[in-house]
Amino acid sequence: MSAPTSYEQGNSLWKDARLRLCRNRAAMASLVFLVFMALACFVLPLFPCIANPNAADLSNIAASCSWEHPFGTDQLGRDLLARVLYGGRISLLVGVVATFVAFVIGLCYGLVSGYVGGKTDAVLMRTVDVLFALPFIVLVIVFSLSIEEPCRELTNSVVELTGWSRDSVAPIFGLVPLFIAIGALGWLTLARIVRTRTLEIKSMEYVLAARSLGLGHLNILFRHIAPNLLGTVVVYTTLAVPGIMLTESTLSFIGLGVRPPNSSWGTLIKEGADRMEVSPELLIFPALFFCLTLLALNFLGDGLRDALDPKSAKD
């Protein structure tokens, strides 16, 4: 009798994608850098060695780099390293939370538009075209200002219910208008991408088979179509985070983003640009952190695209 034939166990598509991503050195280095940056911004300020970012020291204004102040101090004597770390916390939060809001809206909108089709699809896409024709920054500013008062009332309610101090609650809840405004208007491109892919997928055999078995529309949408969009959506979402962070920085740069005395990388870059000739380090350090983070996000998104879509991989 012949020996039984041994079969090599196959890999799933996600495992193959993970292996391709691990072989991409630039993407993995970017992932490590982003994890390090997140830990530095969210964990390092918890240690007593990091000063209060809003504590002014008028006897130590615009000090140069030293052991006590590794990045120096600003025009009010505040430690620049602490302000860069706390500013990174806000910029990263805005990027991640606003991108998640845009992800949810764009995915659902594009799925419904592509799956239903017909007049519904036409109306939904013409709405997207109209919003695309309007200036994005102006819409964000108007929308942010319109919901600022309800968010302020929400902050007051949280302070009354929990008994927490306003100083600890206001910096976080003060960003809610920014989260909602950017996320609620940043889903347009994602909706078009999802709609196009949904039109392709809904005519495939396994979707037609699911329909013939009598499965409901929601079941088909979220169990058969949405999972097959995940690769495309993840790649776009990763590449959208830098754009949303840039939008927040633009709003903060013109004074419509994070409110003083709190800071983001955008506000720090604005302050540094105003005093660039006198204290160039006020611009160099926050701009360096900001640029490296955006670069790492773009490298990671490019690596995810190559990993999830082998046809576009660069050999």
Side-chain angles (χ1 to χ4, degrees):
M1 295 178 62
S2 59
T5 305
S6 61
Y7 296 96
E8 183 179 354
Q9 185 177 3
N11 293 331
S12 66
L13 294 176
W14 288 105
K15 185 175 181 180
D16 288 338
R18 186 173 68 252
L19 292 174
R20 283 193 294 270
L21 181 63
C22 292
R23 288 196 293 266
N24 190 322
R25 295 181 180 179
M28 294 307 298
S30 299
L31 180 60
V32 171
F33 174 81
L34 290 172
V35 171
F36 170 77
M37 184 64 66
L39 290 175
C41 292
F42 287 92
V43 177
L44 195 58
L46 300 177
F47 291 91
C49 59
I50 302 298
N52 186 337
N54 298 327
D57 184 5
L58 299 181
S59 63
N60 200 19
I61 294 176
S64 57
C65 301
S66 63
W67 286 108
E68 185 179 0
H69 303 287
F71 289 178
T73 60
D74 64 3
Q75 70 278 7
L76 295 178
R78 297 173 295 190
D79 184 72
L80 184 58
L81 173 61
R83 289 183 65 76
V84 169
L85 294 178
Y86 276 88
R89 177 184 294 183
I90 291 177
S91 292
L92 291 173
L93 270 177
V94 170
V96 172
V97 175
T99 301
F100 178 75
V101 173
F103 166 80
V104 173
I105 298 175
L107 180 62
C108 296
Y109 195 97
L111 276 173
V112 172
S113 178
Y115 184 76
V116 175
K119 293 182 179 180
T120 302
D121 179 35
V123 171
L124 293 177
M125 285 300 102
R126 295 302 75 75
T127 304
V128 170
D129 292 338
V130 170
L131 293 175
F132 259 122
L134 300 175
F136 178 73
I137 293 295
V138 174
L139 284 178
V140 170
I141 292 172
V142 172
F143 191 73
S144 178
L145 293 177
S146 64
I147 64 174
E148 188 172 357
E149 185 61 31
C151 290
R152 188 179 294 113
E153 295 177 359
L154 175 63
T155 303
N156 295 334
S157 301
V158 171
V159 171
E160 293 176 1
L161 290 174
T162 61
W164 296 339
S165 65
R166 179 174 295 275
D167 292 338
S168 62
V169 173
I172 301 299
F173 282 87
L175 295 174
V176 172
L178 202 60
F179 291 156
I180 298 176
I182 298 177
L185 297 169
W187 53 269
L188 303 176
T189 303
L190 179 60
R192 279 187 166 180
I193 294 173
V194 171
R195 180 246 183 189
T196 303
R197 289 286 295 135
T198 303
L199 288 173
E200 297 174 1
I201 293 174
K202 76 174 186 177
S203 60
M204 292 185 176
E205 288 80 1
Y206 62 89
V207 176
L208 298 177
R211 285 179 181 172
S212 65
L213 291 174
L215 298 181
H217 296 303
L218 290 178
N219 198 331
I220 294 174
L221 271 175
F222 292 102
R223 292 193 61 184
H224 293 81
I225 297 180
N228 289 283
L229 293 170
L230 197 56
T232 303
V233 171
V234 166
V235 172
Y236 174 79
T237 303
T238 308
L239 295 174
V241 174
I244 288 179
M245 291 177 65
L246 280 171
T247 301
E248 180 274 325
S249 298
T250 302
L251 293 174
S252 298
F253 191 88
I254 61 178
L256 295 171
V258 179
R259 299 288 189 268
N262 301 304
S263 64
S264 70
W265 283 336
T267 57
L268 292 176
I269 290 172
K270 178 185 181 299
E271 294 173 1
D274 294 338
R275 296 167 178 81
M276 180 174 57
E277 297 181 357
V278 179
S279 302
E281 66 275 4
L282 295 181
L283 175 63
I284 291 173
F285 288 117
L288 182 64
F289 274 62
F290 185 57
C291 292
L292 289 177
T293 302
L294 295 187
L295 188 65
L297 284 167
N298 280 290
F299 273 124
L300 180 59
D302 190 60
L304 285 171
R305 183 199 64 195
D306 292 344
L308 295 170
D309 185 8
K311 294 179 182 178
S312 66
K314 307 179 189 70
D315 295 327

